[in-house]
Every structure is written in C-alpha cells, then in structure tokens.
Amino acid sequence: MALTLFVCIVLLMVLGVPVAFALAISSAVAIFVGGKYPQLVVFKEMFTGIDSFPLMAVPFFIFAAELMSGGALTHVLLRFAAQFVGHLRGGLGYANVGSSMLFSGISGSALADAAGPGAMMVKMMQKAGYDRPYAAALSANAAIMGPIIPPSISMIIYALQDENVSVGGLFIAGFIPGLLIAAALCVVNWYVSKKRDYRSTDARPSGREMLVNTIKALPALGLVVLIIVGIRFGIFTPTEASVVAVVYAFVCGKWVYRTLRWDAIPALTSRSALLTASVLLVMAASQPFAWILTVEGIPQYLSELIISWELSPIMFLIAVNVLLLLFGIFMEPLPGIMILVPILAPIANALGIDPIQFAMVVVVNLTLGMITPPVGGLLFVTCVATKTTLSELNKELPLFLLAQFVVLMLLTFIPALSTWLPHALGF
C-alpha cells in the first residue's frame, strides 16, 4: 500500500490536483489496491482527523483576525510602527517589517499579512520613492512572521501531530524566531536603502503625536498579551483563548475603534468560513494518509533506519532542513506538517533533540517555502495584491532568502533560541 500511496500522491501533485483531494484520492487508491481494509476506513479517518477539541481554535483565531482587520486595526498598527522609524533612511521598510510583526500577533496567517498590511505598505513605499518590486519582496518576506509569532495556525496543527509539544509551548517558542526574522529583514532593508538611497521625506512626529498613536494601538496590541498571559497562567486553554480573542476583537472593532460595521460582519464571517473549510479539508484528508503510513510501519522503519546510520542530532537536523526546503518549494506548510511531522518527529525525539526546537525548525523551514520560487504561494498573493510581476519580484528575493536562511541555521545550531523562553515560562 505504501508504494501505491507515494506514487499516487506524486502523480496527483504533478498534475496540479489540490492538496486535499490528492491526499484523499491517493489514500483511497492505496487501500483499494492493498485489498486488506474496507474503503470505509478513508471516511472514518477523515472524520477522526477533524474530531479534535484543540482544532476548534483554528476557525476562531481566523475569525478574530478578520474582525480586527475589519475594525481598522491595520491602519492603527501601521501608524504605530511608522512613527518610530518612518523618518529614517529606509524608514518605511522598517515600518513594513514592524507592522507585519505586530499584525502577525493577531492573524496567524502569512497570506493574511501579505494581502493586508503588506499590500498597504507597498503603496506607501512606492509613493515615497521605493521601487515597487523591492517593496513587494519585503512585504512577502515580512509576512513569513505570520505563522511563527503567536497565535499561529501552523503551530496548532503541529501540536496535533506531535504529542510531545503543546500549543501553548509552541506559541511562546515562536517569539524569538519571529524577532530574529524581523531583525534579519531590517538588516537587508538597511543595506538596500543605503545602496539605493531610499530616503524619507517625513518629519519625525512630535511627542504628543507618538503618545496618541501609541494609546490608540494599545487595545490592538492587548490581544496578544491577553492570549499569552491567559494560556500561561491557566486562565483558559488555547481553544478557549481563541473564543476570547473573537469577543475581544469584536469589542475593539465595534466600541473601541468604532469602525466595525454590522453590515460588514456577514462578509467577514464568510471569508473566515472559507479559509477554515480549506484548512479543515486538508486536515481531514491528511488523516487517512497518515493512517496508512502508520499501519504499514513506515515511520518505525525510517526511524530504525536513520538511527542505524548513527547520525548526530546536528547532522540529522541538517538533513531534515535539506528535505524540508525541497519539500516546501512544492507544498504548502500545513499539509507539509501533517505529512512529515508524524514521520520525522519520533526520529528527532529518539535522537534526543528537544521537541520544541525541532518544531520551530520544521515550521520556519516549511514557511520559507511560501517565498521560494517557483511555487511559493506568498509570491503569487503578493504579486496580485501589489500589481507586481513575478519576474520583477524574483529579482529582489536573493538577499531576503539569504537572510531567512541565516535565521534558519541559527535555530538549527542554537537550540536555546527556540527552547529558552518556553522552558523559562514552564512549558
């Protein structure tokens, strides 16, 4: 069955079949060819794949992000980030990174970051004299922080695949990698702005203006604090935190910022439902795929094989990075996590690699695939949102990809960057 499974999934992916359908069809074909189990197993496992209490957090976090976006949160965060650096050389580039970092703490999605604050910043940067392809490339790379800085949909899905980590622990662990990515992008922006002489014409805002902008941004920034503090001190579970986030986002948009209209809620709900359905469909379809791998003993076989090679933990992580970088070019992070984590996580655990460090390496690595040509989904979304051609965008990517790769290597060789904060907070 395993051979049939892999042949089918490769063929279907090459033919461009959507990931969820490719996973389900290949599982059904493998079971049919194997002849040992009834086809009912596919439907049973698909139901099992989404019959999970922690998974309920996904639609609520998505809806909370939509409500905050509909409540003019993006404009508030842009003003807050720009006031500190907008007057510097390359200042709007720094503001782009800063606003994406702040919005990441609400959306949990790279695509949402690119289509929201990223697209707005590109327009502002172009008006200020920045090259549009450069601004678009910076926005696409900054959006990578979406699935890394909590709350993160990718980390919720990861925790469901590996029982050695918790959603709360992964949320906390994402802070330092997210900040490292932001710092790396700022270094690239400093270099390019100096080389191309991207100067700012904006005057530094007065202390009063900065105070007003900061006060206005505090309710939006409070959502991240509420989620992390609530989870850390056991006030609510990550799933309950997602519901609290929806209520908080609604109150902020409707009565704090007073920009969320009643007639906008149906459209926001519809977008949230469509995105949730796509995530859950992939989640459900991946379950029979993983079940076949398990009953065929593939994870156990690979674990024993790799352990027999006597690789050091570092060599294993390097090999995993190569695999994931290649894998991420052709597949989105969520199905990548659901297919590969059940195979790789037990091996990493057997080699003594901290589960949280391994989770960070996997999530960051697969997320980078979204900005890696030729298939990177973020690149296409950014091109559409910013009216930039893919060829123009690709010319600006090498420095950014180098910076992202440096961060990935730091996470690989320095475990404390991923593990120190969650361990210090008791996760």
Side-chain angles (χ1 to χ4, degrees):
M1 282 199 302
L3 178 61
T4 305
L5 185 72
F6 287 118
V7 170
C8 280
I9 190 69
V10 170
L11 285 175
L12 292 172
M13 293 295 292
V14 169
L15 292 173
V17 176
V19 173
F21 294 101
L23 290 168
I25 293 171
S26 59
S27 300
V29 171
I31 288 177
F32 175 77
V33 172
K36 295 187 292 185
Y37 305 99
Q39 286 291 322
L40 187 62
V41 169
V42 176
F43 301 101
K44 171 187 172 297
E45 292 299 322
M46 288 183 71
F47 176 80
T48 302
I50 55 176
D51 183 21
S52 169
F53 181 71
L55 194 60
M56 290 177 61
V58 172
F60 287 108
F61 275 130
I62 291 174
F63 191 36
E66 289 288 344
L67 288 173
M68 292 295 265
S69 298
L73 169 70
T74 304
H75 300 279
V76 173
L77 293 181
L78 281 177
R79 286 197 300 269
F80 175 71
Q83 69 181 355
F84 297 106
V85 292
H87 60 284
L88 303 174
R89 185 198 298 269
L92 285 181
Y94 300 129
N96 191 337
V97 176
S99 61
S100 291
M101 182 172 62
L102 295 174
F103 195 76
S104 297
I106 295 162
S107 71
S109 167
L111 298 179
D113 285 9
M120 293 177 61
M121 282 303 307
V122 170
K123 294 178 183 177
M124 293 173 61
M125 292 174 70
Q126 187 178 7
K127 288 181 180 178
Y130 293 74
D131 295 321
R132 186 172 58 184
Y134 169 75
L138 179 60
S139 292
N141 279 267
I144 288 295
M145 292 181 284
I148 298 169
I149 294 178
S152 166
I153 296 171
S154 294
M155 291 179 187
I156 295 172
I157 303 302
Y158 188 104
L160 294 174
Q161 308 303 315
D162 184 3
E163 61 183 14
N164 293 309
V165 294
S166 65
V167 174
L170 293 184
F171 276 8
I172 297 295
F175 275 111
I176 293 179
L179 292 175
L180 286 174
I181 290 174
L185 296 180
C186 286
V187 170
V188 173
N189 181 66
W190 170 83
Y191 173 78
V192 174
S193 297
K194 184 177 180 181
K195 184 178 179 181
R196 302 182 184 178
D197 197 25
Y198 289 147
R199 293 183 177 272
S200 174
T201 57
D202 296 335
R204 183 170 186 170
S206 65
R208 185 177 183 279
E209 290 175 325
M210 294 179 71
L211 180 61
V212 170
N213 290 335
T214 301
I215 293 174
K216 287 182 178 180
L218 285 178
L221 299 175
L223 177 58
V224 181
V225 178
L226 177 66
I227 292 172
I228 298 303
V229 172
I231 293 174
R232 171 62 187 88
F233 291 100
I235 301 173
F236 36 67
T237 67
T239 304
E240 293 164 347
S242 65
V243 180
V244 172
V246 170
V247 176
Y248 185 92
F250 180 78
V251 171
C252 279
K254 187 63 183 173
W255 289 293
V256 176
Y257 295 116
R258 298 182 179 181
T259 51
L260 182 63
R261 304 189 316 272
W262 287 110
D263 59 357
I265 292 179
L268 298 176
T269 305
S270 176
R271 285 204 300 269
S272 301
L274 286 173
L275 183 54
T276 299
S278 65
V279 172
L280 293 183
L281 188 59
V282 174
M283 188 74 185
S286 70
Q287 187 63 27
F289 190 94
W291 181 85
I292 294 173
L293 293 178
T294 301
V295 297
E296 289 292 291
I298 302 300
Q300 295 85 347
Y301 170 75
L302 289 176
S303 178
E304 293 172 359
L305 176 63
I306 293 176
I307 291 174
S308 69
W309 294 345
E310 298 183 352
L311 293 175
S312 66
I314 287 296
M315 290 304 299
F316 173 73
L317 285 174
I318 291 174
V320 167
N321 275 324
V322 173
L323 170 65
L324 295 181
L325 285 171
L326 294 174
F327 191 88
I329 291 175
F330 302 101
M331 185 168 286
E332 294 294 307
L334 291 185
I337 289 171
M338 288 180 280
I339 292 172
L340 295 176
V341 169
I343 298 174
L344 297 175
I347 303 173
N349 191 49
L351 291 174
I353 299 171
D354 191 293
I356 292 180
Q357 182 202 7
F358 187 72
M360 287 300 104
V361 170
V362 170
V363 171
V364 171
N365 199 317
L366 287 175
T367 306
L368 291 184
M370 301 181 74
I371 55 168
T372 306
V375 185
L378 257 180
L379 301 181
F380 294 107
V381 171
T382 304
C383 286
V384 172
T386 63
K387 296 182 174 63
T388 307
T389 66
L390 189 60
S391 60
E392 290 175 330
L393 189 60
N394 286 339
K395 291 177 182 178
E396 300 285 353
L397 283 178
L399 276 179
F400 290 112
L401 292 177
L402 176 61
Q404 301 276 19
F405 181 75
V406 169
V407 172
L408 179 60
M409 289 299 99
L410 289 174
L411 297 176
T412 300
F413 289 101
I414 308 177
L417 294 175
S418 303
T419 62
W420 174 77
L421 189 57
H423 288 174
L425 293 178
F427 288 97

